[in-house]
Amino acid sequence: MESLRRQIEKQVHSLTGASLGVLDLDQPRGDAGLFGPESMVWKIHADFTAMMVGGISALLLQMLHPLALAGVWDHSTFRQDMLGRLRRTSLFIAGTTYGGLHDAEQLLDKVRTIHLQVVGSAPDGRPYAASDPELLTWVHVSEVSQFLAGYLRYVDPQLAVAEQDRYYREVALIAERLGAQDVPKSCRAISDYLECMRPQLLCDARTREVVRLMYAAPMPNILARPFGNLMMQAGVDLLPDWASELLGEHQAPWRRPLIRSSVQRTAALLRWAIRNSAAQRAQRRLAQRL
């Protein structure tokens, strides 16, 4: 059983930023980072399965914004290296959530620098810049709203609204440090923001190509392929109904309970197998005394 556990954990790590070997979450001892263990950010971001489903759902939602899509389409290597993008995104989230303060600051500086280089024009002629405060807010809200949705569905459906609001208040720090402005910081404000943004969203040929590539994304080995397919289906299922309809991703009502129960079984297995997640390593780092 122990060899099976280690093998599963190895496969999980191959999908995350941990496989890049650039972040040491075991050091420096006692460093609580940007948020610390009592934060809702540490709590919401701790479950691998919920974050994976939420992250896929967030990317699908983000790509409905034509300017966000244009920036990714023109400047990202996602079409050739979808797994690499997943790992780099995972690295940023793990580092800013659970890393020491110096590592978190370095990651923020790096992303700010990259954003300054991501400029261009969308197919409709509108200019875009990844450093645009409004675009940064869209990307942030898409991301954290789906992280929280994944947590509510697969970890704790009874999480109090006050605690959900606290998560949004805390995690807004990341968006603001990257340059976002007027970041919504409560469930009600997030809901109002998404409703306000809907007229700007669309699904075109490039959006559909992103969805196709996500379904076809290569996995590190054959054993990971069923997991990747399930996570993709669960990511679509997690979207707001209006977003999945806009994408044209229709799931039969009978399929959704099957997807969710399969994810719950997978999550239980992964919680048993994973002993060196970013959250677990950060907890051990804080338990050490200087």
Side-chain angles (χ1 to χ4, degrees):
M1 290 295 287
E2 181 60 21
S3 62
L4 173 62
R5 187 201 66 76
R6 286 198 298 266
Q7 182 62 24
I8 293 172
E9 185 171 45
K10 180 180 178 181
Q11 297 301 323
V12 169
H13 282 177
S14 73
L15 298 172
T16 72
S19 65
L20 300 176
V22 299
L23 186 65
D24 185 1
L25 293 170
D26 300 314
Q27 299 294 334
R29 293 182 297 173
D31 188 333
L34 289 174
F35 299 104
E38 302 306 315
S39 68
M40 288 302 298
V41 176
W42 273 43
K43 183 174 184 176
I44 300 300
H45 292 182
D47 188 75
F48 173 79
T49 307
M51 287 293 284
M52 175 68 79
V53 175
I56 290 170
S57 191
L59 182 57
L60 290 167
L61 185 57
Q62 287 168 358
M63 293 302 96
L64 289 172
H65 193 300
L67 300 185
L69 173 59
V72 171
W73 189 274
D74 294 344
H75 295 271
S76 173
T77 61
F78 81 97
R79 279 170 284 174
Q80 299 80 34
D81 188 21
M82 185 71 75
L83 184 57
R85 177 182 170 85
L86 171 65
R87 288 167 173 160
R88 291 187 294 274
T89 301
S90 168
L91 175 69
F92 179 79
I93 294 165
T96 53
T97 301
Y98 297 111
L101 189 58
H102 177 71
D103 286 336
E105 296 284 4
Q106 280 198 321
L107 285 166
L108 287 166
D109 287 342
K110 182 177 181 179
V111 170
R112 279 193 297 265
T113 299
I114 292 171
H115 281 173
L116 292 174
Q117 303 166 27
V118 178
V119 296
S121 297
D124 61 9
R126 284 185 295 166
Y128 67 78
S131 58
D132 175 10
E134 292 185 4
L135 203 54
L136 285 166
T137 298
W138 165 253
V139 171
H140 169 78
V141 170
S142 301
E143 189 171 82
V144 299
S145 64
Q146 296 311 105
F147 287 163
L148 181 56
Y151 183 88
L152 292 172
R153 177 159 296 169
Y154 293 113
V155 182
D156 183 7
Q158 305 304 317
L159 184 69
V161 172
E163 296 292 79
Q164 297 177 44
D165 287 346
R166 182 157 73 93
Y167 169 68
Y168 284 135
R169 287 196 303 272
E170 292 173 356
V171 79
L173 172 69
I174 299 297
E176 291 170 344
R177 293 289 296 275
L178 291 175
Q181 296 176 0
D182 301 320
V183 180
K185 298 177 182 178
S186 69
C187 294
R188 176 62 182 272
I190 293 282
S191 178
D192 290 346
Y193 173 84
L194 289 172
E195 188 65 26
C196 182
M197 291 297 294
R198 284 180 60 180
Q200 301 183 40
L201 309 180
L202 61 85
C203 179
D204 59 14
R206 297 206 300 186
T207 319
R208 288 187 287 272
E209 176 65 3
V210 171
V211 176
R212 186 192 71 78
L213 289 169
M214 290 177 68
Y215 273 114
M219 290 288 107
N221 57 67
I222 193 170
L223 295 177
R225 289 175 188 168
F227 172 77
N229 183 59
L230 175 61
M231 293 298 101
M232 183 65 186
Q233 294 182 59
V236 171
D237 173 49
L238 194 65
L239 285 167
D241 289 341
W242 57 263
S244 55
E245 290 172 7
L246 186 56
L247 283 167
E249 289 294 309
H250 303 293
Q251 293 175 327
W254 60 266
R255 284 186 60 201
R256 295 196 168 201
L258 295 178
I259 292 169
R260 295 174 193 184
S261 62
S262 295
V263 173
Q264 290 285 17
R265 289 193 296 272
T266 301
L269 176 64
L270 296 183
R271 288 167 193 148
W272 165 76
I274 298 173
R275 298 183 184 176
N276 288 290
S277 68
Q280 290 164 329
R281 291 175 66 187
Q283 290 282 4
R284 290 198 294 267
R285 182 183 79 235
L286 282 184
Q288 297 173 336
R289 297 303 177 199
L290 296 175

